[in-house]
Amino acid sequence: MTAASTDTATLFIDGAWTASSDGGTREIRNPADGELVGVVSEATREDTEKAIAAARAAFDRGDWSSVPAPERGDFLLKVAARLRERKDEFAMAETLDTGKRLVESEIDMDDIANAFAYFGKMAGSNAGRVVDAGDASVVSRIEYEPVGVCGLIAPWNYPLLQAAWKIAPALAAGCTFILKPSELTPHTSILMMQVLEELGLPRGVANLVLGAGAVAGAPLSEHPDVDLVSFTGGVSTGRIIAESAAKTVKKIALELGGKNPNVIFADADFDAALDNALNAAFVHSGQVCSAGARLLVEEPIAERFVDELVRRAKQIRLGGPFDEATETGPLISPEHREKVTAYVAKAVEEGARIRCGGTWGEGDLAKGWFYLPTVLDNVKRASNALLEEAFGPVVTVETFNGEDEAVELANDTDYGLAGAVWTQDAGKSQRVARRMRAGTVWINDFHPYLPQAEWGGFGRSGFGRELGLAGLSEYQEAKHIYHNTNPQVTNWFTDHENENGKDGQAS
Ligand code: NAD
């Protein structure tokens, strides 16, 4: 199957490629030009229930969990190697679905291979621990068992990367799973299943359902046979999933949105801060959960910094993903562009001023879902544009004086995914970073992450962590095994019938 395939047996259930049970399909279109990329199966609830049954049966048979952890790790290393071999094909598929620049998809594929390699190496190293029970006749130990059947739900902005952050630790831990990628971006998930199949993962361990969240995805949080749901996406969907998962008391991890502050002090390296502020706000047209969408600039440099930001933002070259001159691409869909358009209109209604952008792409860009890089200033505190994610190329500007006000503004959000502080004063950078309420804080940088460092949010950005040690723990249950090698009668409860002797006679 290739990215532009019209093969509609694209659900992977119990080790077999299958079409939707009602024959439903969905067209996938390239957001840069609206061209047809492929037609894939659209799963029904019954298809997802079949996938859950397959994952449950595979887990209960122990087909994967009984494979020694170091061997599971070796398997993940093989996946990483195969992804590197097939990088071009995967990157092309990701780019056609998302419209992002090919070079960005290539970077994503490297990151995905690195995530598999990281969890591959981790798998064998987390063998539990012995606990000192304070009694020489007791052997007490902690073992980490797989949680069980996992529902993995991913968004469209980094389709395979977000899925990989879930698939790799789930497999490392010995779980089975059902992956539900965004209905808009299915192709790299299909390719990923091909790799897992070809490398010999037992049937039923990895399952793929495609389609609308409310149909193909919903059973994952509702069904009693799913033990864990790991979701990356928007807050409103996260709420629905949390409520529905509560009914069967599942473990859940929610990686939600962000409204991330990028704090620039007057003593920052101006050029580096400016360059990175553009990157923070506009890379992938702002469709990044950790986008630096709230720019906070210290008063003494604010005017110059914002003027330069606007000057540079106007020059950003939008275009198709294969044009080497392109610096950023389109929004994912016409519906999403309508949302961003309405968001900016509301900001203006609430008093914000558009310094640049605020319109759709024209000319050649009119074929796709392009929206121009947009800078908003004069944004009132507590207005929607400061509180809610645009998830598009929109940055708001606020100004501050001194550390306390910087921290107050940075933390004035219900979200807490990420943020950055720019200053050449090391002490100040550390103080501010510590006071910022976010899962990741960059000092004099924006956007880098490491597979070995936990990723996740405070507050409305969700809970649970991906990557790092905690990223594996999400997929494990800790079990305490207490072994008394020298059992004794304790006489906690007395045998009253025999308290005067075995024959019941007073002695
Ligand atoms: P979304 O919430 O609309 O959809 C995410 C996924 O959930 C999709 O696969 C969708 O089909 C599925 N879904 C929708 N309703 C469902 C339901 N009732 N049951 C089960 N699944 C359902 O999000 P999106 O528009 O695809 O992605 C954008 C959002 O994702 C943004 O808010 C962004 O900040 C967030 N995001 C967060 C991170 C992070 O690491 N915190 C990373 C990437 C994206």
Side-chain angles (χ1 to χ4, degrees):
M1 181 179 315
T2 67
S5 158
T6 50
D7 175 358
T8 49
T10 52
L11 311 180
F12 189 60
I13 299 175
D14 207 15
W17 290 98
T18 163
S20 164
S21 52
D22 70 357
T25 58
R26 179 184 289 262
E27 289 184 354
I28 307 300
R29 294 192 174 270
N30 182 345
D33 55 17
E35 293 289 322
L36 187 67
V37 171
V39 180
V40 297
S41 311
E42 179 84 357
T44 59
R45 288 185 73 93
E46 292 68 38
D47 293 324
T48 301
E49 281 161 10
K50 267 189 216 152
I52 293 170
R56 181 82 257 163
F59 185 77
D60 293 346
R61 287 194 303 266
D63 291 352
W64 183 242
S65 57
S66 64
V67 172
E71 284 177 35
R72 295 199 300 262
D74 288 345
F75 180 86
L76 294 185
L77 294 175
K78 281 189 211 152
V79 174
R82 191 56 60 94
L83 289 173
R84 290 188 180 114
E85 282 163 23
R86 293 180 63 178
K87 171 175 160 178
D88 292 348
E89 185 190 352
F90 272 70
M92 177 65 82
E94 200 75 302
T95 276
L96 288 172
D97 279 2
T98 59
K100 74 166 77 168
R101 294 190 306 154
L102 187 60
V103 64
E104 291 180 34
S105 293
E106 286 166 0
I107 294 169
D108 290 354
M109 296 312 133
D110 289 338
D111 286 357
I112 291 163
N114 290 342
F116 273 93
Y118 171 72
F119 284 109
K121 288 178 204 142
M122 285 269 290
S125 64
N126 198 13
R129 66 184 204 276
V130 172
V131 175
D132 183 356
D135 179 341
S137 58
V138 170
V139 180
S140 173
R141 68 183 198 277
I142 305 298
E143 285 191 355
Y144 297 105
E145 292 189 359
V147 167
V149 175
C150 303
L152 311 179
I153 304 173
W156 45 258
N157 59 338
Y158 289 88
L160 191 58
L161 184 69
Q162 298 299 332
W165 290 8
K166 302 177 192 303
I167 294 172
L171 289 179
C175 295
T176 62
F177 69 82
I178 307 97
L179 172 65
K180 212 302 278 170
S182 166
E183 55 274 35
L184 303 176
T185 54
H187 281 106
T188 45
S189 295
I190 296 171
L191 294 176
M192 170 57 78
M193 292 297 135
Q194 288 179 356
V195 166
L196 297 178
E197 181 188 23
E198 142 199 331
L199 291 176
L201 193 67
R203 87 182 155 85
V205 175
N207 302 274
L208 174 70
V209 292
L210 306 174
V215 180
L220 297 177
S221 53
E222 292 164 3
H223 203 290
D225 280 346
V226 177
D227 301 297
L228 171 148
V229 178
S230 177
F231 167 77
T232 302
V235 174
S236 52
T237 316
R239 257 190 219 113
I240 293 170
I241 286 172
E243 278 174 18
S244 118
K247 294 191 183 115
T248 50
V249 195
K250 290 186 201 325
K251 236 183 135 177
I252 54 174
L254 300 178
E255 297 289 335
L256 308 177
K259 192 70 195 171
N260 313 290
N262 186 14
V263 180
I264 320 286
F265 282 96
D267 63 356
D269 176 329
F270 190 96
D271 293 340
L274 178 70
D275 176 72
N276 280 272
L278 288 162
N279 185 16
F282 300 127
V283 73
H284 195 16
S285 280
Q287 301 168 112
V288 183
C289 52
S290 53
R294 277 192 306 141
L295 182 68
L296 310 179
V297 195
E298 202 165 23
E299 283 286 357
I301 61 159
E303 195 178 332
R304 183 163 77 98
F305 195 92
V306 178
D307 285 351
E308 277 299 287
L309 183 85
V310 169
R311 191 180 69 78
R312 295 281 301 275
K314 284 178 179 166
Q315 296 177 50
I316 292 174
R317 291 187 177 148
L318 278 72
F322 306 111
D323 180 347
E324 283 183 8
T326 295
E327 292 175 325
T328 195
L331 298 181
I332 189 71
S333 66
E335 294 78 16
H336 187 54
R337 186 168 63 170
E338 288 297 345
K339 271 195 207 161
V340 174
T341 306
Y343 177 97
V344 172
K346 181 159 189 200
V348 171
E349 231 174 80
E350 290 183 340
R353 177 169 57 150
I354 298 178
R355 293 288 305 270
C356 65
T359 54
W360 297 4
E362 292 174 346
D364 277 356
L365 299 180
K367 283 187 281 177
W369 325 127
F370 291 90
Y371 194 92
L372 300 194
T374 301
V375 178
L376 298 176
D377 70 4
N378 198 33
V379 189
K380 305 272 177 321
R381 257 184 112 166
S383 68
N384 187 65
L386 293 184
L387 300 178
E388 293 304 331
E389 247 187 333
F391 218 58
V394 182
V395 63
T396 58
V397 178
E398 296 164 86
T399 60
F400 68 89
N401 271 306
E403 282 177 51
D404 286 344
E405 197 183 1
V407 171
E408 190 200 328
L409 289 179
N411 288 339
D412 189 15
T413 170
D414 291 337
Y415 291 99
L417 186 60
V421 49
W422 289 81
T423 167
Q424 298 191 63
D425 177 336
K428 179 157 63 179
S429 69
Q430 288 293 330
R431 286 191 298 276
V432 172
R434 284 183 162 225
R435 291 172 68 191
M436 281 168 70
R437 300 274 305 156
T440 296
V441 178
W442 295 288
I443 297 174
N444 296 337
D445 213 323
F446 210 101
H447 279 321
Y449 74 91
L450 305 169
Q452 58 273 32
E454 276 75 0
W455 177 264
F458 289 18
R460 238 207 291 164
S461 292
F463 48 80
R465 288 293 179 271
E466 298 200 295
L467 304 178
L469 301 173
L472 179 58
S473 304
E474 287 288 347
Y475 294 89
Q476 293 175 320
E477 294 281 15
K479 177 186 277 181
H480 178 199
I481 297 181
Y482 181 104
H483 181 180
N484 186 348
T485 61
N486 184 22
Q488 301 290 320
V489 171
T490 64
N491 274 326
W492 183 280
F493 295 107
T494 307
D495 180 353
H496 296 289
E497 286 177 4
N498 290 319
E499 79 191 312
N500 294 324
K502 264 195 161 258
D503 55 4
Q505 302 296 312
S507 53

